[in-house]
């Protein structure tokens, strides 16, 4: 079982603030890393699937970077909006194409 | 994106009864589906991989006789919690892959065993 740490556990920001959070995972036997956004009362939704060291992906105001050598990924949100409020989950992929989820970072954006 | 539907969203049952949760892929065929469980303030934990037409693959520590998984068609997997007890109360959620690498999740089912 992989040890996946996400920090912080929760985060309160003001609308318009930019924010970032971290996903740490074992760097050995790395296959890929997934990021998901999970809004309350909805299904988790895929944001990014990242595979290469140094990868940077962007979707609107959300971007993510990946460092496979040191085992971490950052998720950035530029100019947070109330609709960005959600729990953000990361999940490295282990052998057999299985995902191991971190505990998530719960983001709350105040208008 | 692909849609996965899970039912029921909420279920309350008496201790000792069995509960069935359904997971359907609505617009794609899923040869493999995944079942996760989440206890309060913990991460999603993979319970088992459901394989269409064959036996499910259970993660270590998950009792296969307790959590029966059936994947009889390419669009439906069911999880039956047999002889449920209060410690089985949890949030259960399924997912599946379409053609890419990302997972598509159901809405989840919250089980409360009295």
């Amino acid at each position: 079982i992989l040890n996946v740490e996400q920090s912080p556990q929760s985060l309160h920001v003001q609308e318009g603030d930019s924010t970032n959070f971290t996903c740490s995972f074992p760097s050995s036997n790395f296959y890929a890393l997934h990021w998901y956004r999970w809004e309350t009362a909805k299904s988790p939704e895929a944001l990014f699937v990242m595979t290469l060291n140094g990868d940077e992906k962007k979707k609107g105001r959300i971007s993510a970077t990946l460092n496979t050598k040191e085992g971490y990924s950052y998720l950035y949100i530029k100019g947070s909006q109330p609709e960005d409020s959600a729990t953000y989950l990361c999940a490295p992929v282990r052998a057999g194409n299985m995902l191991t989820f971190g505990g998530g970072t719960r983001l709350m954006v105040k208008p | 994106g692909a849609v996965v539907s899970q039912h029921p969203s909420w279920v309350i049952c008496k201790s000792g009864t069995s509960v069935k949760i359904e997971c359907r892929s609505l617009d794609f065929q899923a040869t493999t589906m995944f079942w996760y469980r989440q206890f309060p303030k913990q991460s999603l934990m993979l319970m088992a991989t459901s394989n269409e037409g064959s036996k499910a693959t259970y993660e270590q520590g998950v009792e296969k006789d307790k959590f029966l998984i059936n994947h009889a068609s390419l669009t439906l997997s069911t999880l039956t919690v047999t002889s449920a007890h209060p410690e089985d109360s949890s949030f259960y959620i399924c997912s599946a892959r379409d053609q890419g690498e990302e997972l598509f999740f159901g809405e989840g089912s919250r089980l409360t065993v009295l």
Side-chain angles (χ1 to χ4, degrees), chain A residues 62-75:
Chain A
I62 304 177
S63 60
T65 60
L66 178 66
N67 184 322
T68 61
K69 293 182 190 291
E70 295 182 39
Y72 64 84
S73 176
Y74 293 137
L75 190 81

Side-chain angles (χ1 to χ4, degrees), chain B residues 35-98:
Chain B
W35 286 97
Y36 295 84
R37 177 170 56 183
Q38 184 183 39
F39 290 110
K41 302 197 177 187
Q42 293 187 24
S43 56
L44 290 173
M45 295 295 295
L46 180 65
M47 297 175 66
T49 302
S50 172
N51 305 300
E52 186 267 334
S54 65
K55 290 183 180 179
T57 306
Y58 290 83
E59 294 297 297
Q60 193 172 6
V62 178
E63 299 173 58
K64 61 181 181 182
D65 296 329
K66 173 78 170 173
F67 300 99
L68 299 179
I69 291 173
N70 184 281
H71 194 153
S73 79
L74 285 170
T75 59
L76 175 64
S77 174
T78 61
L79 169 68
T80 301
V81 183
T82 62
S83 187
H85 290 284
E87 59 266 28
D88 298 322
S89 298
S90 188
F91 182 79
Y92 295 86
I93 191 167
C94 67
S95 69
R97 286 192 177 94
D98 187 2

